[in-house]
Amino acid sequence: MKTAVFSARRYDRTMLARANASARHELRFFDDRLTAENAPLAEGCEAVCVFVNDVVDAEVLAILARQGTRLIATRSTGYNHIDVAAAGQHGIAVVRVTDYSPYSVAEFAVGLLLAVNRKIARASVRTRDGNFDLDGLMGVDLHGKTVGVVGTGKIGVIFARIMGGFGCHVVGYDPYRNPAFEAAGARYVSLDELLSSSDVVSLHCPLTDQTRRIVNAETLARAKHGSILINTSRGGLVDTESAIQALKTGQLGGLAIDVYEQEANLFFQDLSSTIIRDDIIQRLVSFPNVIVTGHQAFFTVEAIGQIMQTTIESITAFERGEELVNRVPPA
Ligand code: NAD
């Protein structure tokens, strides 16, 4: 099937082509992210394959539908970047990757926590410059601390298990209880209790109307003083300006984010020779107790291999008129 692949980095091209070896779909790769301006590049492609920062809103979907697109396949779990209702109105099916190594993201969240707590990135920069001083690098033992997990699905449960192994007390908040979370020795509490009791809060819920800016001035004020916030989920979960205020007062003791509300204009590209106009991200990276990574939590050999395999399988199933097991239900 003729498929336009947007936001195609070198690893996307290599790994998707490998997964496509026997299916032999006609893949057309485009470096740029999908927007209304470049949607005509997908003319005649029945399938369009996208990633998290591609624009798949009503306007883009209308253009794609006119050009013959009938399937959107996102190489991600989250699909908040796709207007599923508009896709349904145009008769376009949407598929995602429901299952790929949740270990990739959970392990990365733990890595961010260790890095921000023990100042590992700062220490590494120092030693490269011949500075072996320890002043300013003191962290705390995680053993015995309370870790709050917001969203106890696949990734949240694995994160909880790992933190249990560190000897942490793990508490969680989720409107739907997951027995695997409690089996990991963790217990459910209200969001209020989670915020007020946790030394570390890690976000693992999807971005929805209910969770948008779940971390804001008001919830940060209710959090335990000096707690650390980890976000590997979606940037829109955090009101970044409020987080900056909380960092300035010390209410937030550390922040590590792999996702950022305005990441679409920044992430997945090399901007090191340009002037970055986003003052919020510039302010964030100026804090010694903040770590920002560019949406890389999923980026392991295992996860990417599964993402590409599932994406190709979905396109093949669609072409054959088979059931789409990874279909996002029409809104
Ligand atoms: P999942 O669907 O297995 O789990 C999500 C959990 O969040 C569910 O248990 C759900 O009930 C819960 N939830 C829904 N609304 C909530 C609310 N209002 N408050 C608290 N919890 C709520 O998903 P997952 O595979 O564990 O992935 C979690 C998120 O991680 C994804 O939605 C995605 O945004 C993010 N993610 C990030 C990366 C990355 O590279 N940074 C990669 C993959 C996924």
Side-chain angles (χ1 to χ4, degrees):
M1 178 172 275
K2 227 182 250 182
T3 304
V5 184
F6 285 89
S7 298
R9 296 285 166 270
R10 195 150 42 97
Y11 50 86
D12 292 300
R13 291 167 189 253
T14 315
M15 303 282 276
L16 201 58
R18 195 176 297 165
N20 188 41
S22 56
R24 294 171 173 271
H25 295 295
E26 189 184 326
L27 306 179
R28 294 187 184 173
F29 291 105
F30 301 104
D31 279 342
D32 290 340
R33 68 190 183 106
L34 173 64
T35 61
E37 284 68 44
N38 66 12
L41 291 170
E43 172 90 56
C45 291
E46 281 175 278
V48 170
C49 182
V50 298
F51 195 48
V52 292
N53 289 325
D54 286 306
V55 179
V56 199
D57 59 10
E59 184 188 2
V60 169
L61 284 160
I63 300 169
L64 295 177
R66 274 201 305 276
Q67 298 176 164
T69 295
R70 293 186 296 125
L71 177 72
I72 300 287
T74 183
R75 309 189 291 283
S76 61
T77 308
Y79 53 92
N80 52 282
H81 52 298
I82 302 172
D83 187 334
V84 178
Q89 282 157 15
H90 291 293
I92 296 178
V94 177
V95 287
R96 64 181 180 131
V97 182
T98 37
D99 262 323
Y100 67 86
S101 170
Y103 301 98
S104 60
V105 182
E107 290 173 8
F108 194 79
V110 177
L112 284 179
L113 171 56
L114 291 173
V116 76
N117 172 36
R118 303 300 298 271
K119 286 86 176 164
I120 294 172
R122 285 191 80 196
S124 173
V125 170
R126 274 192 196 183
T127 55
R128 276 167 192 249
D129 201 30
N131 176 358
F132 300 95
D133 189 7
L134 296 186
D135 258 351
L137 300 184
M138 195 183 288
V140 296
D141 281 3
L142 290 174
H143 180 91
K145 298 293 186 300
T146 299
V147 173
V149 183
V150 180
T152 60
K154 292 183 286 294
I155 295 169
V157 163
I158 293 162
F159 179 79
R161 280 191 204 133
I162 299 173
M163 296 322 297
F166 273 69
C168 298
H169 306 292
V170 183
V171 295
Y173 168 73
D174 194 310
Y176 306 97
R177 280 175 179 245
N178 180 352
F181 184 69
E182 289 173 304
R187 69 186 173 89
Y188 280 104
V189 295
S190 66
L191 184 59
D192 254 353
E193 186 180 340
L194 183 148
L195 291 170
S196 61
S197 66
S198 296
D199 301 285
V200 174
V201 174
S202 193
L203 304 179
H204 297 290
C205 57
L207 178 63
T208 64
D209 289 344
Q210 288 71 44
T211 61
R212 188 172 298 281
R213 296 194 162 188
I214 193 168
V215 176
N216 53 48
E218 189 249 327
T219 46
L220 282 164
R222 284 189 274 141
K224 187 167 178 178
H225 185 78
S227 55
I228 293 174
L229 176 66
I230 311 292
N231 187 9
T232 53
S233 212
R234 282 292 178 267
L237 297 175
V238 177
D239 172 3
T240 316
E241 293 195 52
S242 297
I244 288 173
Q245 289 310 316
L247 283 162
K248 280 159 91 173
T249 62
Q251 172 66 4
L252 200 51
L255 174 69
I257 56 170
D258 184 49
V259 286
Y260 168 58
E261 208 170 5
Q262 307 302 331
E263 70 177 52
N265 298 323
L266 296 171
F267 286 9
F268 306 115
Q269 52 193 323
D270 180 1
L271 300 177
S272 56
S273 305
T274 66
I275 304 296
I276 295 187
R277 294 196 175 79
D278 184 327
D279 292 343
I280 296 178
I281 196 92
Q282 294 297 73
R283 180 68 180 105
L284 264 187
V285 295
S286 75
F287 285 99
N289 52 350
V290 170
I291 289 185
V292 178
T293 52
H295 208 138
Q296 71 174 85
F298 70 103
F299 203 48
T300 65
V301 171
E302 291 80 1
I304 299 291
Q306 289 158 2
I307 289 169
M308 301 310 180
Q309 192 59 41
T310 303
T311 301
I312 292 294
E313 283 168 9
S314 293
I315 296 170
T316 303
F318 183 80
E319 186 177 44
R320 293 179 181 162
E322 293 169 1
E323 188 198 353
L324 296 175
V325 287
N326 289 306
R327 184 169 191 165
V328 177

Coordinates of all heavy atoms in Angstrom, one line a residue, residues 257-258 267-268 292-296:
I257 N 12.1 16.2 32.8 CA 11.0 16.0 31.8 C 11.6 15.5 30.5 O 12.7 15.9 30.1 CB 10.2 17.3 31.6 CG1 11.2 18.4 31.1 CG2 9.4 17.7 32.8 CD1 10.4 19.7 30.7
D258 N 10.9 14.5 29.9 CA 11.3 14.0 28.6 C 10.3 14.5 27.6 O 10.5 14.3 26.4 CB 11.2 12.5 28.7 CG 11.7 11.8 27.3 OD1 12.7 12.2 26.9 OD2 10.9 11.0 26.8
F267 N 11.6 19.6 19.5 CA 12.2 18.3 19.7 C 12.4 17.6 18.3 O 11.8 17.9 17.3 CB 11.3 17.4 20.6 CG 11.4 17.8 22.0 CD1 12.1 18.9 22.4 CD2 10.8 17.0 23.0 CE1 12.2 19.3 23.8 CE2 10.9 17.3 24.4 CZ 11.6 18.5 24.7
F268 N 13.2 16.5 18.3 CA 13.6 15.7 17.2 C 14.3 16.4 16.1 O 14.2 16.1 14.9 CB 12.3 15.0 16.6 CG 11.5 14.3 17.6 CD1 10.2 14.6 18.0 CD2 12.0 13.1 18.3 CE1 9.5 14.0 19.0 CE2 11.3 12.4 19.2 CZ 10.0 12.9 19.6
V292 N 16.2 18.2 31.1 CA 15.3 18.1 30.0 C 15.9 17.1 29.0 O 17.0 17.3 28.6 CB 15.0 19.4 29.3 CG1 14.1 19.3 28.1 CG2 14.5 20.4 30.3
T293 N 15.1 16.1 28.5 CA 15.5 15.3 27.4 C 14.5 15.4 26.3 O 13.3 15.8 26.6 CB 15.7 13.8 27.8 OG1 14.6 13.4 28.5 CG2 16.9 13.7 28.7
G294 N 14.8 15.1 25.1 CA 14.0 15.4 23.9 C 13.1 14.3 23.5 O 13.2 13.8 22.3
H295 N 12.2 13.8 24.4 CA 11.3 12.7 24.0 C 12.0 11.5 23.6 O 11.7 11.0 22.4 CB 10.2 13.2 23.0 CG 8.9 12.5 23.1 ND1 7.7 13.2 23.0 CD2 8.6 11.2 23.3 CE1 6.7 12.3 23.1 NE2 7.2 11.1 23.3
Q296 N 12.8 10.9 24.4 CA 13.6 9.8 24.0 C 13.3 8.5 24.9 O 14.0 7.5 24.7 CB 15.1 10.1 24.1 CG 15.7 10.3 25.5 CD 17.2 10.4 25.5 OE1 17.7 11.5 25.3 NE2 17.9 9.4 25.7

